Amino acid sequence: MARSFNKSISMSNQQINKSTDKLFRVKWRSPSNIAIIKYWGKHGRQIPVNPSISLTLKKSFTELELNVFEKNKAKNEIEFQFLFNGLRNEKFEQRIAAYLLSVKEDLPFLGDFRFEIQSENSFPHSSGIASSASSMSALALSLVSFAESLGMHMPSNESQFASYLSRLASGSASRSVFGGWSIWGKLKQIEESTDEYAINLPFAIHPCFQTLQDLVLITSSTPKKVSSSEGHYKMNSHSFSEARKFQAIDHANKLIPVLQDGDFESFAQIAESEALSLHALMLSSEPGYFLVNGRTLQIIDEIRNFREETGIRLCFTLDAGPNVHLLYPLEEKEQIMLFLQEELLGLCEGGRWLDDGAGDGPIQLID
Ligand code: DP6
């Protein structure tokens, strides 16, 4: 696409338009997800180096409303306005502008209408919850709803197309289109898996993992020094990139029977190895960097000691940030809450934590 960014995108300064030229309105609630097998490294048009497997969450979600208006079709530029929590946000606006431009061939109608997008998250920004996964999947779902209303021919079924469009905005967002457990990226063992979009894991998940809980322990809400996107690109020239690919595939192959059998001990080994490997890859990049802090490491220590002393089923994972996701089966909730009060709260920044767990996936709120 040779056209310059400014010429083909126009971001309106007006307040949300209440005029009657509104053609379409839709609202989606889409949740975030937590990866157990981490997507880390990509090439080409958001093609992952390795498959990733995640659990879609319940309480951490974005609600995004898309309003579509008439516009002068002769001007084929993409016109939109984006409000986050009711306010303009230049950084998000530019990301959406670049995204819409990048999917113009997939959604040829983008130049024919004017779009107003309003987005809100149920969780605080920089809380360790991946807001790009929830917000970008909510945007993709809304665009697919509009495409459907126009009778546009979809290259695959609607949720696959929404996952494909989500992936092009943010890789992890591709997995949020589905409830429960999803895989994005080709894994030979799962025939239907593909790099193009995510799918639900095509087998019955053990009840212990169907209702898995995720307690997010916030150790810092300071914005990250290195974004996930930069982290992915650093993997292209990483000395361990080949080894990492094999490790992720090996972990994914091992996780599949574990999710079916309910073997929490093996689950904990895989999840923790993935989390620590992700951060080890950051440390061993050129130049190396780290996103964890002292509290992150202390919490990890506490979790492992508590597991050893009590035999209670819990483990941790980390995203590309310093906050710890404590994972445990629902049946352990009472014990985990006591552990939180007694040992972990003091290690959280301002005593902040979020209570989340397995969710059923996106829902359409207005159609
Ligand atoms: C560590 O999906 O945020 O959370 O595709 O550049 O938007 P982009 O990256 P993003 O990366 C997520 C990385 C991760 C692991 C994961 O969710 O699989």
Side-chain angles (χ1 to χ4, degrees):
M1 230 161 277
R3 247 176 315 165
S4 90
F5 195 75
N6 288 337
K7 269 191 198 150
S8 49
I9 293 278
S10 142
M11 291 172 283
S12 152
N13 259 326
Q14 307 153 11
Q15 284 304 301
I16 285 290
N17 189 320
K18 300 270 186 274
S19 69
T20 49
D21 56 351
K22 191 184 287 182
L23 297 172
F24 181 80
R25 178 179 179 223
V26 73
K27 188 169 184 172
W28 276 92
R29 173 186 291 175
S30 189
S32 186
N33 67 74
I34 180 72
I36 302 304
I37 307 300
K38 309 289 181 184
Y39 146 53
W40 202 238
K42 60 178 166 182
H43 54 88
R45 201 175 179 216
Q46 292 273 103
I47 297 297
V49 166
N50 61 268
S52 54
I53 298 180
S54 66
L55 176 69
T56 296
L57 298 174
K58 184 181 195 147
K59 299 183 193 165
S60 308
F61 54 76
T62 296
E63 282 187 3
L64 183 140
E65 184 173 328
L66 174 74
N67 285 288
V68 183
F69 299 87
E70 293 272 18
K71 94 176 226 300
N72 178 358
K73 289 191 178 156
K75 284 206 303 185
N76 195 244
E77 63 180 19
I78 299 176
E79 263 183 49
F80 79 100
Q81 181 192 60
F82 176 75
L83 297 184
F84 179 65
N85 291 339
L87 300 171
R88 283 191 67 177
N89 178 313
E90 223 170 286
K91 206 174 124 205
F92 292 165
E93 208 166 65
Q94 283 182 3
R95 184 164 180 188
I96 290 182
Y99 168 66
L100 293 176
L101 198 56
S102 77
V103 293
K104 213 174 161 201
E105 275 172 31
D106 300 285
L107 301 171
F109 59 79
L110 284 178
D112 295 341
F113 301 93
R114 186 170 64 75
F115 301 94
E116 289 181 357
I117 305 161
Q118 302 179 60
S119 180
E120 278 176 20
N121 293 339
S122 66
F123 51 91
H125 195 54
S126 298
S127 60
I129 297 283
S131 63
S132 61
S134 56
S135 57
M136 293 305 172
S137 54
L139 176 59
L141 285 157
S142 301
L143 291 168
V144 169
S145 294
F146 181 51
E148 197 191 0
S149 79
L150 295 174
M152 190 187 118
H153 169 76
M154 314 240 175
S156 47
N157 77 38
E158 278 152 43
S159 46
Q160 285 167 354
F161 189 46
S163 175
Y164 161 85
L165 289 174
S166 303
R167 168 201 125 215
L168 295 175
S170 179
S172 53
S174 66
R175 302 182 308 243
S176 274
V177 170
F178 303 96
W181 290 90
S182 325
I183 179 167
W184 167 47
K186 187 68 196 169
L187 183 69
K188 281 195 193 126
Q189 199 189 145
I190 297 186
E191 216 181 305
E192 312 90 305
S193 63
T194 163
D195 289 346
E196 292 296 312
Y197 47 79
I199 56 164
N200 261 140
L201 284 179
F203 50 78
I205 303 284
H206 190 278
C208 136
F209 295 120
Q210 269 176 36
T211 55
L212 193 73
Q213 299 297 293
D214 180 4
L215 183 66
V216 188
L217 302 157
I218 300 174
T219 65
S220 169
S221 50
T222 312
K224 290 191 275 193
K225 286 170 283 186
V226 181
S227 71
S228 290
S229 288
E230 285 171 76
H232 289 297
Y233 284 113
K234 276 171 169 282
M235 285 308 292
N236 293 337
S237 54
H238 201 293
S239 325
F240 303 155
S241 60
E242 271 307 292
R244 165 58 193 159
K245 186 176 164 182
F246 285 116
Q247 182 198 39
I249 292 171
D250 181 48
H251 279 159
N253 281 327
K254 287 182 173 143
L255 185 63
I256 282 161
V258 162
L259 289 176
Q260 295 172 85
D261 301 347
D263 171 2
F264 197 88
E265 204 180 317
S266 303
F267 177 82
Q269 268 169 22
I270 297 168
E272 295 187 357
S273 173
E274 275 292 300
L276 295 177
S277 299
L278 171 71
H279 287 266
L281 289 165
M282 296 177 198
L283 283 167
S284 52
S285 292
E286 297 282 355
Y289 65 102
F290 57 92
L291 299 178
V292 291
N293 59 39
R295 289 167 188 232
T296 317
L297 302 181
Q298 272 177 284
I299 291 176
I300 289 176
D301 239 16
E302 290 288 347
I303 290 174
R304 287 182 155 180
N305 291 341
F306 184 72
R307 185 169 64 215
E308 212 174 290
E309 284 161 19
T310 64
I312 289 171
R313 292 169 298 166
L314 79 164
C315 68
F316 68 86
T317 189
L318 304 165
D319 254 345
N323 302 319
V324 182
H325 291 249
L326 191 167
L327 306 171
Y328 63 96
L330 188 57
E331 303 92 80
E332 310 282 19
K333 188 149 195 161
E334 217 179 299
Q335 306 280 2
I336 299 291
M337 287 300 143
L338 282 174
F339 174 46
L340 168 71
Q341 296 300 331
E342 284 166 15
E343 310 290 345
L344 302 176
L345 262 191
L347 294 168
C348 297
E349 184 188 67
R352 288 171 64 221
W353 57 281
L354 300 172
D355 177 29
D356 212 332
D360 295 333
I363 49 170
Q364 191 171 335
L365 301 172
I366 302 177
D367 53 14

